[in-house]
Amino acid sequence: MSDAFHGAEFCWMNGEVIKTKHALVPAMEPIHLSIFEGIKAYVEDDVCGKGRLNIFQWKPHINRLWRTAAFCGLKIPYTKEELLEAAKKTIRANGFKTNAYIQPRIWPKAETREEVNVVIPVWTFETILGKGNPKFSKERRFMISSWRRIASDALPPQAKAWANYANSALALREAARLHYDGAIFLDNRGFVSEGTGACIMTVRDGKVITPPVTASILESITRATLLKILQEDLGISVEVRDIARLELYASEEAFLCGTGWEITPIMSIDDLPLGGEYPGAITRRIAQYYTEVVTGKIEKHKRLLTPT
Ligand code: PMP
């Protein structure tokens, strides 16, 4: 194994910062029962032009990790504050001065599930956000997956368990095989669900519409944040309701939202182009505002940021 994982020399494991190459576990551990979180820290420019890294929405992320753990019968032997300190320490140990991704992972050491491993890998990432970023406006052709999103009575998609991502991987492989950039799932009732690692929002008649939690989606923190700020700050009406497949094709705009995917515009679905302009005006406005929120430019939303 190389010294670094995604360029990070250090990670945190079971109570201490260690070299990533030393983060090894016995092969027979029940990794299929593992859970995780995906959290981002963005650079905030201060008056001196020096970057300060702030974790976006730490609290809801760590609360979701605790919810997933409780549901899966895993007992986390640390407090939420201890894990925050661990994440900060790991970022500092790696000397990151740029946007960083934090991915706490937990899984049982044995089938008894009495003891768990807690690992916090971190790595840097390149955002697609920011004015004039060509990655943002890149043309993206999506397809409706022939795989349905896992139903809540099989595996709960509301929880962030790695097992759920086997379903996502099938959809991604199918999309890659058919030369699409990504896939959108329908739920087991045939309504629009979510992407393979992000939620979906569509725009119709200037209104943003997104499926409810009962449409087999993860309880997304980005989605919850947007639902609040779009209405309150940007005056964009939002509607949470089931979306029929045809409505998706008839959307003026559509985008994915999530910690990893940030705000990702979708150009076409099943080769049917959405609306006219790409990326659409509302998607661009939302992405611009979201960028300002995560980078600490909006005073009243600074409370969503935790300094590292
Ligand atoms: N759905 C799935 C399947 C995901 O993996 C993610 C990424 N965590 C999301 C939605 C978006 O969730 P969040 O906004 O909390 O990152």
Side-chain angles (χ1 to χ4, degrees), residues 61 64 149 160 165 194 196-199 218 220-223 257-259:
H61 276 289
R64 187 171 64 191
R149 189 62 177 145
K160 211 160 163 62
Y165 289 81
E194 62 178 346
T196 51
C199 284
L218 180 71
S220 154
I221 286 145
T222 317
R223 173 183 169 280
C257 70
T259 303

Side-chain angles (χ1 to χ4, degrees), residues 220-254:
S220 154
I221 286 145
T222 317
R223 173 183 169 280
T225 308
L226 289 182
L227 285 177
K228 194 161 160 29
I229 66 179
L230 293 192
Q231 203 145 289
E232 287 177 10
D233 299 8
L234 301 182
I236 298 172
S237 339
V238 294
E239 206 176 324
V240 177
R241 64 162 174 83
D242 280 323
I243 300 174
R245 181 173 187 159
L246 183 98
E247 288 186 281
L248 194 54
Y249 297 142
S251 301
E252 291 138 26
E253 304 176 29

Side-chain angles (χ1 to χ4, degrees), residues 101-119:
Y101 184 73
I102 305 162
Q103 192 185 74
R105 302 169 175 195
I106 300 175
W107 72 98
K109 284 187 175 168
E111 290 288 357
T112 59
R113 305 188 200 178
E114 291 295 315
E115 272 187 77
V116 296
N117 284 299
V118 183
V119 181

